[in-house]
Amino acid sequence: MENDSSIQWEHSHDFGLDNKLHENKVKTVFWLTTVIMVLEIGAGTWSGSMALLADGWHMGTHSAAFLIAIFAYSYAKKHANNKDFSFGTGKVNSLGGFASAIALAIVALMMIVESVQRLLEPQSIHFNEAIVVAIIGLVVNVASVFILHDDHHHHGEHHHDHDHNMKAAYFHVLADTLTSLLAIVALLIGKYVGLIWMDPLMGIVGAIVILRWSYGLIKDSSNVLLDKSVKKSTLEQISKALSKKNTVINDIHVWTIATAHQAAILKVTSAQPLNSDEYEGILREILPQLSHISIEIRHDYSL
């Protein structure tokens, strides 16, 4: 298809994003997370602290999620101009975010299971070693949050501008930050007050928050992957705008094909139809992110 010279393409169908900046930031956070993972697993093994070992493997799942994000950016860039993908590789972004959200949910469920076990069977905790390493982990996680925060915040201003891959990475470092913070609080209470059960209780609280983040990301990214239509009110707005031009909509589909890009397919009927450029102009006023439009126009003099 790429070498078919008989097709005269009017425009590029690469509706992905240049995510080089995002990719570099995720790589930085990946290495920070991996270093802390090795530190926690090593310290946990040396001190015999199951809490540190558990958190170390928890960090390992996030490192794996960051690898998914990095792969998604790389794959999308590599196949950006591949005509085998009808609307480019923009949805790879959402696919990476969806996969990472599933991983996030699995981590949260594992945290709940382990925390419940610790509530039923309390274990001794090496508080001093655990607190020191947890603080180091918190500092690195906070740094990671700041590295990813600006881009996530910017894309959060508009619903359709979400880079789901970046959002997933951001939620993973937030999850790590939350678990480190809760762990420090629980360890301090356990050490100085003696309430050892606070450690697993905080784990359950953190897991519930993480599950909520995961659900929201799964919902957002799956809407894109499943070609969910724009809101019914938007379709009605389009219908009203075209009716003023004596045009009836017989069929319409509007969906997201990539971050900040939408596509539309319409079949319209009119006794005095406008040309396709005029219809496109009306649609773009309502849908400013519209990047690909296909319109079938029919004459019906009985209207």
Side-chain angles (χ1 to χ4, degrees):
M1 188 170 179
E2 287 183 288
N3 299 321
D4 192 343
S5 58
S6 66
I7 299 178
Q8 299 181 11
W9 300 99
E10 289 187 354
H11 58 80
S12 170
H13 286 71
D14 173 23
F15 297 120
L17 288 177
D18 182 4
N19 285 318
K20 185 63 178 177
L21 178 61
H22 290 189
E23 182 181 359
N24 288 339
K25 289 189 174 186
V26 172
K27 285 181 179 178
T28 300
V29 172
F30 163 73
W31 285 113
L32 287 174
T33 302
T34 302
V35 168
I36 295 301
M37 175 197 74
V38 173
L39 174 63
E40 289 191 339
I41 291 176
T45 302
W46 174 76
S47 66
S49 171
M50 288 301 298
L52 282 182
L53 275 174
D55 195 48
W57 290 116
H58 166 81
M59 296 282 278
T61 60
H62 290 313
S63 290
F66 294 141
L67 280 177
I68 293 175
I70 293 169
F71 171 78
Y73 284 131
S74 177
Y75 187 89
K77 180 171 59 178
K78 179 179 179 181
H79 296 277
N81 297 311
N82 188 341
K83 293 295 189 296
D84 288 340
F85 298 93
S86 298
F87 293 103
T89 54
K91 285 190 178 182
V92 173
N93 170 311
S94 296
L95 183 60
F98 182 85
S100 291
I102 295 296
L104 199 64
I106 292 174
V107 167
L109 292 175
M110 291 173 62
M111 287 174 62
I112 291 175
V113 170
E114 182 179 350
S115 295
V116 171
Q117 289 177 343
R118 286 176 179 269
L119 278 173
L120 298 175
E121 301 176 7
Q123 301 179 20
S124 61
I125 300 174
H126 297 260
F127 291 108
N128 293 332
E129 296 88 344
I131 290 172
V132 170
V133 177
I135 290 175
I136 294 174
L138 177 63
V139 171
V140 172
N141 288 329
V142 169
S144 299
V145 167
F146 277 102
I147 290 172
L148 299 179
H149 173 71
D150 288 340
D151 287 294
H152 169 79
H153 177 73
H154 172 74
H155 287 283
E157 293 175 0
H158 303 288
H159 175 73
H160 293 295
D161 286 351
H162 281 314
D163 180 339
H164 291 126
N165 214 25
M166 185 58 135
K167 187 176 180 181
Y170 184 73
F171 278 168
H172 276 284
V173 295
L174 276 182
D176 280 335
T177 303
L178 177 65
T179 53
S180 294
L181 184 60
L182 292 177
I184 291 171
V185 172
L187 288 168
L188 289 173
I189 293 176
K191 179 179 180 180
Y192 293 106
V193 183
L195 301 179
I196 298 178
W197 53 266
M198 282 293 294
D199 182 59
L201 180 62
M202 288 294 190
I204 293 174
V205 172
I208 291 173
V209 174
I210 294 169
L211 277 174
R212 185 173 180 180
W213 290 341
S214 175
Y215 173 76
L217 183 55
I218 289 173
K219 184 178 179 181
D220 286 347
S221 57
S222 62
N223 285 345
V224 177
L225 295 173
L226 296 174
D227 296 331
K228 184 178 180 180
S229 176
V230 296
K231 294 181 179 179
K232 185 178 180 180
S233 58
T234 302
L235 298 179
E236 291 175 349
Q237 186 179 357
I238 294 172
S239 179
K240 289 179 181 179
L242 294 185
S243 66
K244 294 179 181 179
K245 302 296 181 179
N246 299 316
T247 299
V248 175
I249 296 177
N250 305 116
D251 191 26
I252 181 171
H253 302 276
V254 182
W255 71 101
T256 300
I257 54 176
T259 301
H261 292 281
Q262 292 176 314
I265 298 176
L266 293 88
K267 180 166 71 174
V268 299
T269 303
S270 177
Q272 297 179 317
L274 306 176
N275 62 49
S276 60
D277 290 338
E278 290 176 301
Y279 282 127
E280 287 186 16
I282 295 171
L283 290 173
R284 290 186 190 280
E285 287 183 4
I286 301 172
L287 302 166
Q289 295 181 329
L290 204 53
S291 300
H292 187 89
I293 308 172
S294 297
I295 304 177
E296 178 182 345
I297 305 171
R298 293 187 175 185
H299 290 75
D300 188 339
Y301 297 104
S302 63
L303 294 178

